Amino acid sequence: NDNLSYTSITSAEQLKSLSNSNGNYRLDSDITISNWEGISNFGGIFDGNGHKIIIENGINGLFESTNGAIIKNVTVDANIYDSWYNMGGLVGLAVNTKIENSTTSGSLVGDYMLGGLVGTTKGQCEISNCYSSVEVYSKYVSPSNGNAPEDNNDFMSYAGGFIGYAGSQSGITNNLTINDCSATGDVKTEYWIAGGFIGYIKSDVTLNNCVESGNVYGNYSGKGDDYKPLYKGS
């Protein structure tokens, strides 16, 4: 009971209308959606109220991007495919965002900055009591074998079972705090830099009581199916 007034959400159409909103919303039923493109530039409060959202197919998780948002109490099962960058089961790009008591599952296939819960964090973000079992696959192929754009010679996967890229943004304080969270999904990449929990860290990160148990696989040759374990989870 936070004494705030919430707008009830019970349909996919209502979910789609939340882009560019700063309001307070409460999910009052389970929802299944398809051909999902994600809620973008959300800056309000989204309370999943213990409900589940199933994304049958889409290019983003529930939120494409958030800024100044609070996301809590929601379960997302997503089939995300053919994505580019900043993709997560719950949030793609989270800026100055707080996430609490939420769970993601399913699969995520994209290029880079991919995370089971959040693709990229920037600014001051706090994530507490969350769990991801998303299987993450970074399909970007190294330019060294001629299968990627030449202007991306320093390209990396930045894929993680929980967070893909704990990034930084100039002009603002960049701190990521994660409390009591876990990731169990495997991470597979065609190129470099991946982690079972966080793929790459560029900001100040504090982890408290966090666990990951997924495996991380890399394609050493950049061609074919030459995957080898980079890290084996506990």
Side-chain angles (χ1 to χ4, degrees), residues 31-43:
I31 296 176
T32 298
I33 50 182
S34 59
N35 302 315
W36 182 246
E37 296 184 1
I39 299 164
S40 61
N41 194 33
F42 181 77

Side-chain angles (χ1 to χ4, degrees), residues 187 194-197 212-218 228-234:
V187 178
F197 197 76
E212 75 84 19
S213 57
N215 300 312
V216 181
Y217 299 93
K228 298 179 181 178
L230 304 177
Y231 172 83
K232 187 171 179 59
S234 58

Side-chain angles (χ1 to χ4, degrees), residues 22 40 43-44 97 102-103 114 121 150 157 184 187 196 198 213-215 221 223:
N22 294 317
S40 61
T97 293
S102 295
T103 300
L114 313 174
T121 61
E150 293 181 0
S157 294
T184 61
V187 178
I198 300 177
S213 57
N215 300 312
S221 68
K223 293 183 179 180

Side-chain angles (χ1 to χ4, degrees), residues 36 38-39 46 48 51 53 55 60-66 70-78 80 86-94 97-105 108 115-119 126-128 130-132 134 162-163:
W36 182 246
I39 299 164
F46 184 89
H51 287 288
I53 294 174
I55 301 173
N60 284 297
L62 182 58
F63 294 89
E64 176 189 16
S65 57
T66 60
I70 297 175
I71 313 297
K72 57 185 179 180
N73 308 323
V74 65
T75 295
V76 176
D77 182 76
I80 306 168
N86 289 341
M87 302 297 170
L90 183 59
V91 182
L93 172 61
T97 293
K98 180 180 287 187
I99 301 172
E100 307 168 350
N101 306 321
S102 295
T103 300
T104 54
S105 60
L108 166 56
L117 190 85
V118 178
E126 183 176 342
I127 303 174
S128 300
C130 292
Y131 164 72
S132 175
V134 174
F162 197 74
I163 305 289

Side-chain angles (χ1 to χ4, degrees), residues 56-234:
E56 292 182 327
N57 55 74
I59 59 171
N60 284 297
L62 182 58
F63 294 89
E64 176 189 16
S65 57
T66 60
N67 194 332
I70 297 175
I71 313 297
K72 57 185 179 180
N73 308 323
V74 65
T75 295
V76 176
D77 182 76
N79 173 32
I80 306 168
Y81 65 95
D82 202 24
S83 297
W84 191 15
Y85 68 102
N86 289 341
M87 302 297 170
L90 183 59
V91 182
L93 172 61
V95 181
N96 298 324
T97 293
K98 180 180 287 187
I99 301 172
E100 307 168 350
N101 306 321
S102 295
T103 300
T104 54
S105 60
S107 61
L108 166 56
V109 178
D111 281 341
Y112 63 109
M113 296 179 183
L114 313 174
L117 190 85
V118 178
T120 297
T121 61
K122 292 184 178 180
Q124 299 191 61
C125 293
E126 183 176 342
I127 303 174
S128 300
N129 194 29
C130 292
Y131 164 72
S132 175
S133 61
V134 174
E135 301 286 321
V136 178
Y137 173 41
S138 170
K139 63 183 176 64
Y140 187 88
V141 181
S142 164
S144 63
N145 61 26
N147 292 325
E150 293 181 0
D151 58 354
N152 286 329
N153 289 326
D154 59 349
F155 208 93
M156 302 298 175
S157 294
Y158 302 139
F162 197 74
I163 305 289
Y165 182 64
S168 62
Q169 183 170 315
S170 61
I172 62 177
T173 302
N174 293 277
N175 293 310
L176 170 62
T177 301
I178 307 178
N179 302 307
D180 305 308
C181 292
S182 61
T184 61
D186 287 349
V187 178
K188 187 169 75 169
T189 72
E190 297 286 353
Y191 204 19
W192 297 1
I193 303 192
F197 197 76
I198 300 177
Y200 185 72
I201 296 174
K202 197 175 180 180
S203 62
D204 292 332
V205 175
T206 301
L207 301 177
N208 297 308
N209 193 31
C210 294
V211 178
E212 75 84 19
S213 57
N215 300 312
V216 181
Y217 299 93
N219 191 339
Y220 276 33
S221 68
K223 293 183 179 180
D225 195 23
D226 187 25
Y227 294 103
K228 298 179 181 178
L230 304 177
Y231 172 83
K232 187 171 179 59
S234 58

